[in-house]
Amino acid sequence: MTLQAQIDNRGPIKKIGVIGMGYVGIPAAVLFANSPYFSHVYGFQRDSPSSGHKIAMLNRGESPLKGEEPDLEDLLGKVVNEKKFECTSDFTKIAGLDAVTLSIQTPFKNKEDLIPDFSALYEGIRNVGRNLRPGMLVVLESTITPGTTAGPASVMLEEESGLVAGIDFALAHAPERVMVGRLIRNIREHDRVVGGIDPVSTARAVELYSPVLTIGKVIPMTATAAEVTKTAENTFRDLQIAAANQLALYCEAMGINFYDVRAGIDSLKGEGITRAMLWPGAGVGGHCLTKDTYHLERGVQQLGNSDLDYPERQPSLFVLARTINDFMPRHMVRLTKDGLDLASISVKGAKIALLGWAFLSNSDDTRNTPSEPYRDAMIAAGATVAVHDPYVDHAPGISLMPSLEETIRGADAVVIFAGHHQYRSLDPCEIKTLTGKKHPVIVDGRNMVDPEAFIANGFIYRGIGRGDKNNHPVRN
Ligand code: SAJ
């Protein structure tokens, strides 16, 4: 029997399973359950010591996700009351479903070797395989190395089930594009790339996702193209940021203001003309841009390396972009040291007030924060570092200061790492008094303050991209 015949035999998708009750799986499950097209949704969650508590919470209609998520808890309460959604750790229930999606995180084992840890995802895939039935659809939503869906995932599902992918069951990749704080809106409004290992699988996955989209539309393609789309969209953003960072470093070296140049470039408009000049800064953090480039690179190495035609012995432009972005915290160290030297303050024993531990402005998300390599480098140079962040009350491996005043009190240098809006209103006089120094240093990593306001108060100013100000005369 062909896959299409199996699917026709089964009829429209009615019962769905979502594996992985995290910030991707929970909104996905809730939106499937809230759709009149589907009759029931199971959220599958391992009853592990770290996450098992989510099962009871979700079945009470409570979201285990931290931070504000508009609409999520209301929708969750609604679908739980309607008995259209329930969370379970019983993976055998998969056998009674029409479609299963997997939203399991794929972090790096460690930052050094940039090898992704697929163990949790692979465990989820094998769990699905053991309960797979003919005519079912399996969709991977996690960010994965191109080639994973049609390769290892397909093999594992076939090994565990004895069924054949593309013949007995449909298999696809539909990468998540959600951002914390806008989970429900993102799923409903972003276009959704959906890629099957064959056209029948693609069509069945389109049937699954179309009902939850409002403004967004489904963009069908192959599974591998969908994997490349997801990793490349973040790779490209990282590249754009690196281009801004490199130009900012050039502007500093040439003694000009990057932001004038950016405004000039941005003014070039018109038919078919585009210049997406992003913003330079103290570095690039987060869990998307810091790893997706390496997924893409691994994909081309595994899938296309023998056929890849590329300038000989030249590094990947995308990996070079990562190198430039990861250089920026070191540039912030250089700017800090320059300022301290001018103030005749030794780095050894200097007190640094580090403003911003979150990787993103006005966020509490600290994953892969660029503030960390900066902090480590300054401590290695003998300085002490006090960290402040209005959105972060605790983070692994550091203690946050209770207030901005306490952070700045007695500091030799004030260093802005995150673009939190609170930092736009730093008052030069108040800051100088708090530092108690004649010529405190201020290093602006996110173009938050007016250089002249601080220079006029005797500060030694250094800013990313501010070649026009970085060698200013020191005023008394
Ligand atoms: N950053 C810059 N300059 C910029 C933009 C960002 O230095 O011009 C830095 C930020 O400070 C941060 C890092 O880059 O440290 C990442 O910032 P981000 O705005 O890309 O935020 P992310 O990491 O949450 O990226 C997510 C991604 N979304 C998904 O993966 C679904 C990304 O594809 C989105 O483009 C991005 O959100 C977004 O646009 O909000």
Side-chain angles (χ1 to χ4, degrees):
M1 188 189 278
T2 65
L3 177 58
Q4 190 57 60
Q6 306 255 27
I7 287 172
D8 295 344
N9 205 10
R10 185 177 274 272
I13 296 172
K14 285 296 171 200
K15 291 188 280 184
I16 299 167
V18 176
I19 318 270
M21 290 288 98
Y23 76 93
V24 177
I26 292 172
V30 164
L31 285 171
F32 283 137
N34 189 50
S35 165
Y37 283 85
F38 307 122
S39 62
H40 197 77
V41 178
Y42 283 108
F44 291 91
Q45 176 57 53
R46 287 180 310 174
D47 195 359
S48 63
S50 60
S51 304
H53 67 283
K54 294 181 186 175
I55 299 171
M57 274 187 85
L58 285 161
N59 287 330
R60 289 196 303 271
E62 292 167 34
S63 165
L65 302 178
K66 62 186 178 113
E68 272 302 301
E69 286 299 342
D71 298 333
L72 179 65
E73 203 140 57
D74 292 350
L75 280 172
L76 175 60
K78 175 174 176 286
V79 295
V80 167
N81 292 335
E82 292 168 350
K83 302 202 180 315
K84 288 200 67 184
F85 169 78
E86 66 183 282
C87 186
T88 176
S89 59
D90 177 4
F91 282 78
T92 63
K93 292 188 181 333
I94 290 173
L97 305 178
D98 300 313
V100 178
T101 68
L102 291 96
S103 311
I104 296 170
Q105 63 167 337
T106 54
F108 277 124
K109 286 193 181 88
N110 57 57
K111 284 180 224 168
E112 284 60 47
D113 63 14
L114 299 170
I115 304 289
D117 178 2
F118 285 144
S119 56
L121 175 62
Y122 285 2
E123 183 195 340
I125 291 171
R126 290 195 180 278
N127 264 333
V128 170
R130 284 191 282 275
N131 299 284
L132 197 57
R133 294 293 181 274
M136 276 177 67
L137 165 66
V138 180
V139 185
L140 303 184
E141 293 198 355
S142 310
T143 301
I144 45 185
T145 300
T148 301
T149 304
S154 173
V155 167
M156 280 185 274
L157 288 167
E158 291 181 338
E159 281 172 355
E160 295 293 341
S161 66
L163 300 175
V164 179
I167 303 290
D168 299 315
F169 63 92
L171 178 59
H173 177 55
E176 53 84 7
R177 282 174 153 177
V178 295
M179 278 159 267
V180 168
R182 324 171 225 170
L183 299 176
I184 292 289
R185 203 181 93 216
N186 282 168
I187 294 178
R188 281 173 160 165
E189 298 182 3
H190 276 166
D191 290 346
R192 190 75 190 241
V193 167
V194 173
I197 59 167
D198 56 54
V200 174
S201 295
T202 304
R204 190 66 162 173
V206 168
E207 179 194 336
L208 175 65
Y209 286 97
S210 300
V212 299
L213 299 184
T214 52
I215 300 175
K217 61 184 185 307
V218 172
I219 303 178
M221 55 181 77
T222 66
T224 305
E227 292 161 334
V228 173
T229 299
K230 170 63 185 179
T231 51
E233 70 188 16
N234 285 333
T235 298
F236 192 72
R237 179 170 173 83
D238 193 57
L239 175 63
Q240 290 174 291
I241 297 168
N245 280 329
Q246 181 166 343
L247 185 55
L249 295 172
Y250 282 15
C251 290
E252 285 181 38
M254 294 187 279
I256 56 174
N257 181 351
F258 165 86
Y259 298 93
D260 289 343
V261 171
R262 183 185 186 283
I265 291 171
D266 213 35
S267 70
L268 183 60
K269 305 239 188 287
E271 198 51 42
I273 296 175
T274 57
R275 296 286 189 286
M277 176 61 74
L278 291 183
W279 302 96
V284 170
H287 50 292
C288 304
L289 276 58
T290 55
K291 66 176 175 58
D292 288 0
T293 297
Y294 300 112
H295 278 308
L296 178 61
E297 293 294 322
R298 187 170 294 105
V300 76
Q301 280 156 22
Q302 290 169 2
L303 289 180
N305 212 19
S306 54
D307 300 332
L308 177 62
D309 191 15
Y310 187 79
E312 273 179 51
R313 293 184 297 284
Q314 293 306 312
S316 153
L317 172 64
F318 302 139
V319 172
L320 185 55
R322 290 271 64 243
T323 306
I324 292 167
N325 289 337
D326 285 348
F327 171 75
M328 296 313 285
R330 290 180 12 226
H331 182 57
M332 291 289 284
V333 170
R334 163 77 182 272
L335 292 176
T336 308
K337 288 182 174 178
D338 284 356
L340 291 171
D341 289 349
L342 198 55
S344 306
I345 297 169
S346 163
V347 178
K348 197 170 174 50
K351 184 175 183 296
I352 310 296
L354 171 48
L355 307 190
W357 193 255
F359 83 85
L360 204 56
S361 51
N362 307 318
S363 157
D364 66 355
D365 197 335
T366 63
R367 282 175 282 192
N368 301 308
T369 179
S371 305
E372 187 166 17
Y374 171 85
R375 188 276 314 256
D376 294 348
M378 291 307 291
I379 289 174
T384 57
V385 181
V387 182
H388 172 267
D389 193 303
Y391 297 95
V392 179
D393 41 31
H394 62 273
I398 65 156
S399 55
L400 278 295
M401 296 296 283
S403 73
L404 185 55
E405 291 68 23
E406 283 313 303
T407 310
I408 293 174
R409 193 178 308 285
D412 297 299
V414 177
V415 182
I416 301 173
F417 247 83
H420 296 329
H421 69 83
Q422 291 89 333
Y423 299 146
R424 282 199 190 288
S425 51
L426 292 175
D427 177 281
C429 300
E430 283 174 23
I431 304 285
K432 184 170 184 191
T433 307
L434 274 169
T435 66
K437 301 296 187 307
K438 190 169 175 357
H439 296 299
V441 177
I442 181 156
V443 183
D444 189 352
R446 297 287 174 192
N447 192 37
M448 299 299 286
V449 299
D450 168 15
E452 271 312 317
F454 282 81
I455 294 167
N457 277 279
F459 278 79
I460 294 170
Y461 170 90
R462 291 292 181 273
I464 298 268
R466 293 308 302 262
D468 59 324
K469 297 293 180 188
N470 281 351
N471 295 306
H472 65 86
V474 179
R475 302 218 197 123
N476 288 319

